[in-house]
Amino acid sequence: MAGAAALVAVVTLAACGAKTDTAGGTSDAAAKADTSGDTVKVGLLNSLSGTMAISEVTVRDSLKLAIDEINTSGGVLGKKIKPISEDGASDWPTFAEKASKLIKEDRVAATFGCWTSASRKAVKPVFEKNKSLLFYPVQYEGLEESPYIFYTGATTNQQIVPGLDYLKSQGKKSIYLVGSDYVFPRTANKIIRAYAKANGMKVLGEDYAPLGSTEFSTIANKVKASKADAVFNTLNGDSNVAFFKEYKSAGLTATSMPVVSVSIAEEEVKSIGSQYLAGQLTAWNYYQTTAGEANTKFVKAYKAKYGQDKPTSDPMEAAYTSVYLWKAMVEKAKSFDPEKVKAASDGITFDAPEGKVTVDGASQHIYKTARIGKIGTDGLIEQVWDSGKAIKPDPYLKGYSWASGLS
Amino acid sequence: MTVILGQTFTGISIGAVLLLIALGLSLTFGQMNVINMAHGEFIMAGAYTTYVLQKSISSAGLSLLVALPVAFLVAGGLGALLEWLLIRRLYLRPLDTLLVTWGVSLMLQQLARDIFGAPNVQTRAPDLLTGNITVIGGDDPLTFANSRLFILGLAITAVVALSLTLRLTPLGRRIRGVVQNRDLAEVSGISTSRVDRTAFFLGSGLAGVAGVALTLVGPIGPTMGTNIIIDAFLVIVVGGIGQLKGTVIVAFVLGVLQSVLEYSTTVSVAKVLVLVAIVAFLQWRPQGLYTLRTRSLV
């Protein structure tokens, strides 16, 4: 096994080497976007390979759709958008390296992408140092703000808190927490515990499985023995498959003990298999089935471009929306300069597929409608509840007294 | 009480999965001292075989039954091919076999990605295997998952079949002969290269069967083998290399240990504790549960 250890060491060293490269050689001066000529370049930074590719490729496709549409209708400030797509390869140091390349070599006006919190945390200092903009399209654990990041996915008060409110309204008094062992589920569960304490709900257990783990028999046994009213699931990726198979084997159902998931969208439902998920709940801001003319148009355009069997999902919709929001900000600022774009951002609106969204200039998050959905046997998600109006983003949960201890 | 019984059953069922994935490795590692890092990818091949068959056979139950022998042949064929192409040139150089088979495992993963795509795929379990049976009824019922019972049965069948093959058949006698004394077997007229290839075929075929079983538990993906192979090596090393008896005992002991620790702590802590227990055990018995001295397989 000595050989294997040596190889692991070599690989690790190589990865560290890549990381050092990105840290060095940055100047303090902001990298100016290249807007000479009749095009403006933007960066698309997604994992096109590795474990996250399944989700992030769909986001890249969705960004490209928005760019194509904008170009067809005349571009931004009279310039056509030219996307430069880079592969973050599901690896954080690579994300930082590619972000730096997009800003300094390609001199993009803005960058769209990232998915995992780890990749966002890795590129955050790069965008801040170079004073360049990132539009981040995925729901996340909150408790973060950056002057150079626009967050177009949900923060916790637009997804997790409404999910809990829904359980409470259904009379669920005890919950069990199951999640993957990394930053998002751990932070989310801290918030859930604080909420439960303040709302008279009992948390009967909290279990984490390593990312990618597929052995869930004991966790299923523990969940079953707890006799909780519901399960709050923050598992990511493949683990969901094994978890829901085991859940069914243990004789648990959506009727006896419903599961609310925050990381399973249409694409994931398709790969897990709706026979294991039918009847279970999800919390998001958008579903393919969301009513409205803007969504009908979006779904139709996406399927026409990428295939009739391809579902649309929440992160894809947030990514699509982010390009239009950037366009509106640029047009209001009459400039591609990030500082001017930022200054123009407050109050920008767009008729997104999820409904009208508004940018909150102070937090650089957006107002979003929360939606609880039920997974159907056809693999699509039907809305069973929505918040009625777009909820003001509150990444630090300042509006909730029970969240005062969190940071 | 039901909790203890339930967790013991869970432990035994984890042990059955471990046993299935380690069984073939015990044969190839024990027989030929080949550290086959591609063993996990043979498991993957078995799982994808199940997936492909299910696409052409609509009945989930029938496709599972057909998948068992077909996956055995597919994975076994891959193993025999690997042995013939590369490994037979590298006997007596265990570290080189490690590197070569590791390279092969990476290539097989990429091949799977090219054929089936990067996202994981699923099979439908037959209705019969998605439910559970109630062993003790009442307020706090004890239930056993049918899929886990099926895997347990499969593991027992595989152990018995392998054991009988090694004990009773001419092929088994030849394998044992080669393991005990390769040179003497050769001069006695046994074609050791043919025995090697057959043993490799059998060991890899068992990996294919393990792959079929795993489709009942979790997702099928290009990297599923990598996640499993470490556990399989642990079982073999602790059980004593080339020791069928040791493999069986250790697989069940580790399974029960994992499930009991997991219930009282968390998944991650339990994994660490099991590893610590293994390290401690190997300090005490570096050669594993059963010694290599007798060099017998059964």
Side-chain angles (χ1 to χ4, degrees):
Chain A
M1 299 309 274
L7 277 163
V8 169
V10 170
V11 172
T12 318
L13 280 173
C16 291
K19 199 174 187 176
T20 334
D21 283 350
T22 60
T26 6
S27 71
D28 270 347
K32 279 274 176 294
D34 176 12
T35 50
S36 57
D38 54 3
T39 59
V40 56
K41 283 188 266 188
V42 300
L44 308 185
L45 182 53
N46 313 94
S47 295
L48 307 180
S49 60
T51 178
M52 292 306 298
I54 169 184
S55 303
E56 294 192 48
V57 166
T58 64
V59 166
R60 196 269 320 261
D61 289 348
S62 183
L63 289 165
K64 281 199 161 162
L65 174 67
I67 291 170
D68 282 354
E69 286 178 6
I70 292 171
N71 282 342
T72 314
S73 63
V76 182
L77 290 185
K79 289 180 195 291
K80 291 265 152 65
I81 303 173
K82 188 177 165 196
I84 313 277
S85 185
E86 285 292 346
D87 179 8
S90 309
D91 175 61
W92 324 330
T94 308
F95 265 95
E97 195 184 333
K98 300 284 181 163
S100 185
K101 184 237 168 208
L102 284 168
I103 299 167
K104 285 191 239 154
E105 283 177 37
D106 299 314
R107 296 168 70 195
V108 296
T111 302
F112 301 85
C114 293
W115 181 296
T116 63
S117 290
S119 69
R120 188 189 67 251
K121 298 262 187 215
V123 302
K124 189 168 164 257
V126 179
F127 283 96
E128 287 172 357
K129 199 166 192 175
N130 292 291
K131 302 191 186 335
S132 186
L133 294 177
L134 169 72
F135 285 77
Y136 175 70
V138 185
Q139 51 80 225
Y140 79 115
E141 69 280 3
L143 310 180
E144 182 183 300
E145 271 179 31
S146 165
Y148 291 94
I149 300 179
F150 281 95
Y151 302 79
T152 61
T155 183
T156 40
N157 79 311
Q158 298 166 321
Q159 184 190 29
I160 290 173
V161 176
L164 291 164
D165 284 341
Y166 179 76
L167 286 181
K168 196 180 153 196
S169 74
Q170 297 292 303
K172 309 292 182 197
K173 289 198 164 46
S174 59
I175 47 173
Y176 202 100
L177 310 178
V178 178
S180 296
D181 205 350
Y182 76 111
V183 55
F184 170 68
R186 288 224 176 237
T187 313
N189 286 344
K190 236 171 33 182
I191 293 169
I192 295 171
R193 275 188 178 273
Y195 176 97
K197 205 174 160 198
N199 286 279
M201 260 185 186
K202 272 209 187 79
V203 176
L204 297 179
E206 183 173 346
D207 263 301
Y208 297 96
L211 210 55
S213 171
T214 54
E215 182 54 68
F216 280 90
S217 39
T218 300
I219 288 185
N221 282 354
K222 279 174 147 179
V223 171
K224 190 178 181 186
S226 78
K227 298 201 167 66
D229 291 340
V231 176
F232 209 98
N233 165 25
T234 44
L235 288 171
N236 246 48
D238 305 350
S239 297
N240 278 303
V241 180
F243 172 70
F244 280 103
K245 278 194 170 178
E246 212 63 64
Y247 204 74
K248 194 172 178 187
S249 287
L252 296 166
T253 65
T255 332
S256 67
M257 201 190 287
V259 182
V260 182
S261 306
V262 291
S263 298
I264 302 176
E266 285 83 345
E267 187 70 37
E268 286 77 18
V269 172
K270 211 173 99 182
S271 78
I272 294 169
S274 53
Q275 72 271 32
Y276 295 106
L277 291 172
Q280 301 290 11
L281 302 167
T282 61
W284 286 106
N285 308 99
Y286 166 86
Y287 300 110
Q288 182 178 306
T289 55
T290 297
E293 204 181 312
N295 188 35
T296 316
K297 206 180 118 223
F298 169 62
V299 172
K300 204 173 152 199
Y302 187 85
K303 288 183 186 287
K305 193 169 159 86
Y306 298 107
Q308 291 303 318
D309 60 331
K310 293 277 171 26
T312 57
S313 69
D314 182 290
M316 291 160 61
E317 187 268 349
Y320 175 85
T321 301
S322 69
V323 184
Y324 277 98
L325 288 174
W326 172 75
K327 172 181 183 271
M329 290 177 202
V330 167
E331 282 167 351
K332 187 175 162 199
K334 299 194 176 59
S335 165
F336 290 105
D337 181 352
E339 301 300 336
K340 290 180 184 159
V341 169
K342 267 153 50 67
S345 68
D346 193 36
I348 292 281
T349 63
F350 173 63
D351 278 322
E354 66 177 271
K356 189 173 171 179
V357 298
T358 311
V359 178
D360 175 38
S363 66
Q364 301 195 160
H365 286 61
I366 62 179
Y367 286 71
K368 292 173 87 78
T369 306
R371 293 185 164 90
I372 306 298
K374 190 178 252 184
I375 300 168
T377 44
D378 57 355
L380 291 178
I381 306 173
E382 286 298 334
Q383 180 179 314
V384 291
W385 175 89
D386 74 15
S387 59
K389 61 177 178 45
I391 302 172
K392 182 181 162 67
D394 186 4
Y396 288 95
L397 297 168
K398 287 177 194 144
Y400 303 88
S401 53
W402 50 262
S404 57
L406 304 164
S407 59
Chain B
M1 188 60 194
T2 34
V3 166
I4 298 170
L5 289 174
Q7 275 314 103
T8 309
F9 174 71
T10 298
I12 289 171
S13 77
I14 295 175
V17 175
L18 280 177
L19 181 57
L20 265 179
I21 61 183
L23 202 54
L25 201 61
S26 156
L27 191 61
T28 50
F29 195 14
Q31 149 97 357
M32 287 166 284
N33 260 325
V34 172
I35 303 176
N36 181 16
M37 298 295 280
H39 191 77
E41 278 59 46
F42 296 155
I43 296 173
M44 173 193 81
Y48 273 118
T49 304
T50 318
Y51 170 71
V52 170
L53 283 171
Q54 195 166 85
K55 285 196 139 180
S56 40
I57 303 171
S58 55
S59 155
L62 186 64
S63 75
L64 187 70
L65 286 181
V66 176
L68 286 170
V70 176
F72 182 83
L73 291 176
V74 168
L78 279 175
L81 188 68
L82 176 69
E83 199 276 343
W84 178 71
L85 277 175
L86 297 169
I87 289 173
R88 67 187 165 116
R89 300 161 216 276
L90 298 169
Y91 285 125
L92 308 175
R93 290 157 64 188
L95 269 183
D96 290 341
T97 61
L98 184 151
L99 285 177
V100 165
T101 54
W102 191 48
V104 169
S105 91
L106 293 180
M107 286 163 67
L108 287 176
Q109 281 178 33
Q110 193 53 45
L111 190 69
R113 222 170 263 131
D114 289 343
I115 299 174
F116 301 103
N120 290 346
V121 295
Q122 291 306 306
T123 56
R124 277 174 296 114
D127 287 342
L128 196 65
L129 295 184
T130 55
N132 54 54
I133 56 162
T134 308
V135 183
I136 301 173
D139 257 3
D140 209 11
L142 175 66
T143 57
F144 291 173
N146 291 349
S147 57
R148 297 285 178 165
L149 286 171
F150 177 77
I151 292 173
L152 185 59
L154 199 60
I156 291 169
T157 312
V159 169
V160 170
L162 182 62
S163 181
L164 290 180
T165 309
L166 290 174
R167 268 171 202 267
L168 301 178
T169 65
L171 170 68
R173 280 196 291 277
R174 285 200 290 273
I175 291 178
R176 280 185 291 150
V178 173
V179 170
Q180 278 167 10
N181 193 322
R182 185 169 283 270
D183 295 335
L184 198 57
E186 181 89 58
V187 295
S188 313
I190 295 174
S191 166
T192 53
S193 62
R194 189 184 297 168
V195 170
D196 287 341
R197 196 160 313 140
T198 317
F200 222 87
F201 174 82
L202 287 180
S204 309
L206 287 170
V209 172
V212 178
L214 285 175
T215 63
L216 295 170
V217 181
I220 305 164
T223 53
M224 65 185 289
T226 351
N227 303 334
I228 290 163
I229 192 76
I230 305 293
D231 289 341
F233 271 114
L234 283 180
V235 170
I236 304 292
V237 170
V238 177
I241 292 156
Q243 298 294 319
L244 193 53
K245 207 193 310 176
T247 307
V248 174
I249 294 172
V250 169
F252 285 118
V253 168
L254 287 185
V256 172
L257 195 63
Q258 168 77 27
S259 79
V260 168
L261 289 172
E262 206 175 306
Y263 200 85
S264 38
T265 61
T266 66
V267 185
S268 306
V269 173
K271 277 204 180 343
V272 172
L273 290 177
V274 168
L275 270 178
V276 169
I278 288 173
V279 171
F281 177 81
L282 288 177
Q283 292 297 315
W284 173 55
R285 273 186 89 90
Q287 72 278 41
L289 191 59
Y290 287 91
T291 62
L292 261 179
R293 229 175 305 135
T294 64
R295 299 198 65 88
S296 83
L297 268 170
V298 275

